[in-house]
Amino acid sequence: MEHLPLFIKIKHRPCLVVGGGAVAARKVRVLLARGARVTVVAPELSPELQRLQAQFVWQNDVFSESYLDDQFLVVAATDNTEVNALVYQLANQRGLLVNKADDSKRSAVIFPSIVERLPIQVAFSTGGDAPWLARLLRARLDALLPKHWGQLSLVAGKLRQKVKRTLDSSDARRRFWARTQDDTTLNAFLKQGNLAAAELWLQQEIQKPQTGEVILVGSGPGDPDLLTIKALNELQKAEVVLFDQLVSEEILALIRPEAELISVGKKAGHHSVPQDQINQLLVEQAQAGKRVVRLKGGDPFMFGRGAEELQSLKAAGIRYQVVPGITAAAGATAYAGIPLTHRDHAQSAVFITGHSKKDGKEPDWASLARGRQTLVIYMGLMRSAHIQQQLIEHGLDAATPVALIERGTTVHQRVVRGELRELGALAEQVVSPSLMVIGEVAALADSLAWFNPQPETDIGQEQYA
């Protein structure tokens, strides 16, 4: 990349746009919005430029070098490549900032794609290689950034010094803004445009004691694209993250670099940190005033012991939030082409864990063995033979379709299919984490599967090395 991203104060500076068509109109609109003194040189103006004509000086003429005198920025935006090349050459010789609209690679200045929440501006460019990708990125960012963040920036700017005087450490200030920016009361004021009320509310919050908080976050089944926007926001604000083994490396990479990462990974047959100790760690970190994220695979309340952790926080008087995640039963089955319900095959879905209860009591196998339902079993590999035996003994047809989804939604996803009578043997072919699906819908994977995690290609990569 040859261009250095910069924000240049253009207000009141003289800028020349050569051309009167649609491209020139886009450039003029951007410059006028930032207070530039714009001159347009063109024999005629597009309808849009005619509507804007009162805001700039129009020279009804063809380009000549004299129009470059005393200019700060020059834009060559005609539909004539020879004229654009001449404007670029002469402006470049004078050391002026110049944008050649039909050749961004040779331009000293690129007009980037911009997402605005004024005074916030996010600008980005592909260097002219893929304008369509820049437009796509702009649309995504525009959808992600809250509309009221511009107002938040204005209010935060007015209170910056007061916050700095009141909260004497950068950690305390970061916690304050992380805690308040998503508050429903503050956001209601900002969305209404009531900045005075928002400022007063924040002034009151500054004086309150700064306390820690725990956010219980579900990371989904593995594919980082399935992470919710709220979950991503919390990962970017966290000071401490306690995470499980089921959380993918791609999702861990999204955590703010300064955050402290604590692995409390739990896996079937391997409990590296006891649950009581995890609960205590959450309490201790929050009591130290930190913003703590407890990051779990799937959904925190789906066999994730999330409720147990919240009960410990509640008993200790710690504030907490819950950010749901896509559970494996929904994510992995969708990626495997297995619908949980289907009018012709299953009118209900039952989720259970393959782990036996602490008291040794067995589940209601008779209920689980009913037909026309989908049985989804978490953490069932170690007891697959027992599950097979019990379901058949309680009346479920031994020929019932089954599917084992290994590392669902990730690039390592693998689906092993067969019949209930083969479940124990099939389980030996997969590794944890795997989801077990039993029911007629499992047979639909052959016709509905769509996810190809590892496409084959013979295309070489040497040209991009």
Side-chain angles (χ1 to χ4, degrees), residues 182-226:
D182 290 329
D183 188 276
T184 54
T185 301
L186 174 64
N187 287 337
F189 289 142
L190 294 172
K191 290 174 183 178
Q192 296 165 6
N194 193 344
L195 302 192
E199 182 180 347
L200 178 60
W201 185 89
L202 282 169
Q203 288 177 342
Q204 294 170 345
E205 290 296 307
I206 296 172
Q207 306 304 324
K208 293 181 179 180
Q210 299 297 301
T211 58
E213 184 174 9
V214 175
I215 300 90
L216 195 60
V217 175
S219 69
D223 183 350
D225 285 344
L226 296 180

Side-chain angles (χ1 to χ4, degrees), residues 149-194:
W149 270 18
Q151 289 89 333
L152 176 60
S153 179
L154 290 171
V155 175
K158 293 186 66 174
L159 294 177
R160 182 180 180 187
Q161 292 306 317
K162 184 170 184 177
V163 171
K164 192 171 184 179
R165 290 193 303 269
T166 306
L167 306 176
D168 57 1
S169 73
S170 60
D171 285 342
R173 293 190 289 273
R174 183 174 61 250
R175 291 168 192 159
F176 170 76
W177 289 116
R179 175 173 61 84
T180 58
Q181 69 173 314
D182 290 329
D183 188 276
T184 54
T185 301
L186 174 64
N187 287 337
F189 289 142
L190 294 172
K191 290 174 183 178
Q192 296 165 6
N194 193 344

Side-chain angles (χ1 to χ4, degrees), residues 117-134:
R117 300 291 185 269
L118 295 176
I120 299 172
Q121 295 185 84
V122 181
F124 46 91
S125 169
T126 61
D129 287 327
W132 64 269
L133 188 57

Side-chain angles (χ1 to χ4, degrees), residues 410-443:
T410 74
V411 295
H412 305 292
Q413 174 177 300
R414 191 165 67 97
V415 181
V416 177
R417 287 196 47 246
E419 297 181 346
L420 178 58
R421 61 168 58 94
E422 306 169 306
L423 183 58
L426 294 174
E428 296 178 358
Q429 302 177 31
V430 298
V431 298
S432 182
S434 291
L435 190 74
M436 191 177 295
V437 183
I438 302 173
E440 297 296 331
V441 294

Side-chain angles (χ1 to χ4, degrees), residues 17-32 38-59 77-78:
V17 177
V18 182
V23 175
R26 289 200 300 270
K27 309 291 186 178
V28 168
R29 190 169 61 246
V30 171
L31 292 170
L32 290 176
V38 178
T39 298
V40 175
V41 176
E44 57 183 298
L45 299 178
S46 68
E48 182 175 4
L49 283 176
Q50 290 176 21
R51 289 192 295 269
L52 297 172
Q53 188 177 341
Q55 302 178 50
F56 60 81
V57 175
W58 178 32
Q59 297 293 344
T78 75

Side-chain angles (χ1 to χ4, degrees), residues 45-77:
L45 299 178
S46 68
E48 182 175 4
L49 283 176
Q50 290 176 21
R51 289 192 295 269
L52 297 172
Q53 188 177 341
Q55 302 178 50
F56 60 81
V57 175
W58 178 32
Q59 297 293 344
N60 187 354
D61 196 2
V62 295
F63 171 76
S64 64
E65 186 175 1
S66 62
Y67 284 117
L68 298 177
D69 294 345
D70 301 320
Q71 297 295 334
F72 176 74
L73 170 67
V74 178
V75 178

